[in-house]
Amino acid sequence: TPIVLFLRQQFPDISIFTKEARGILSPLVSLPKMIEQSSNLAGFVLGCQTGSLELIKRSLYDVIIEPQRSKLISGFNSLQEAALSAGALGCSISGSGPAIFALAGSDQQALKIKKQFINAAKKENIKVKNTWISPISKKGAHILRLKK
């Protein structure tokens, strides 16, 4: 199975409150958009399960929430384009934002994406506080118990 890396950017000068980010979302989703989003999600999950980077790349598109929330992040489209043009499998908003994530198929690709992303942020006059590159855990979700 290929290594997939998670690249996450944090912006110190942009604050987005979850309540605000939820408040701008339309309560209505058209059936065609819901079908497209469901298809993308299924392809992404299957791509992760089978290790198919091509399927992940074809499926990692949010057609419902991202177009609405991206307006809250100054320069989002330029930043996303920089990551994708540097070879990211996908790039989107982490949570309600303003953090942005990108997936890469290798350490080398993640470093290239990080560099392009930071350059794009500078062009947009956006400060990047932190950038993390880390492997995605193959363990998956699990319960942690704190020792008393």
Side-chain angles (χ1 to χ4, degrees):
T1 306
I3 297 172
V4 178
L5 298 162
F6 177 75
L7 169 69
R8 187 170 184 261
Q9 313 289 335
Q10 188 177 16
F11 306 102
D13 294 341
I14 303 172
S15 293
I16 296 175
F17 297 99
T18 302
K19 185 176 182 178
E20 174 190 350
R22 284 188 186 139
I24 68 163
L25 299 176
S26 171
L28 303 174
V29 178
S30 70
L31 182 58
K33 284 287 181 200
M34 193 64 228
I35 291 169
E36 183 179 4
Q37 185 68 25
S38 297
S39 174
N40 287 347
L41 177 59
F44 176 73
V45 170
L46 182 60
C48 289
Q49 197 255 338
T50 62
S52 172
L53 298 183
E54 184 55 39
L55 186 54
I56 291 170
K57 186 173 184 166
R58 282 196 328 251
S59 304
L60 189 52
Y61 289 98
D62 178 346
V63 297
I64 297 174
I65 304 300
E66 180 188 295
Q68 296 175 74
R69 283 191 174 163
S70 65
K71 296 170 188 148
L72 298 174
I73 303 170
S74 176
F76 173 79
N77 292 332
S78 297
L79 298 171
Q80 184 183 55
E81 180 54 39
L84 294 174
S85 68
L89 300 171
C91 177
S92 192
I93 302 167
S94 182
S96 60
I100 296 173
F101 75 90
L103 292 181
S106 69
D107 293 343
Q108 184 180 10
Q109 197 68 49
L111 290 170
K112 181 179 176 185
I113 294 163
K114 176 181 174 178
K115 183 178 176 182
Q116 292 274 56
F117 192 95
I118 290 171
N119 288 339
K122 284 179 184 176
K123 285 180 186 174
E124 292 286 334
N125 241 356
I126 299 170
K127 292 180 186 173
V128 176
K129 181 179 178 183
N130 293 311
T131 301
W132 296 275
I133 297 177
S134 63
I136 294 177
S137 172
K138 294 182 189 258
K139 186 174 182 180
H142 58 283
I143 298 172
L144 296 175
R145 297 224 164 111
L146 300 175
K147 294 181 181 180
K148 293 183 180 182

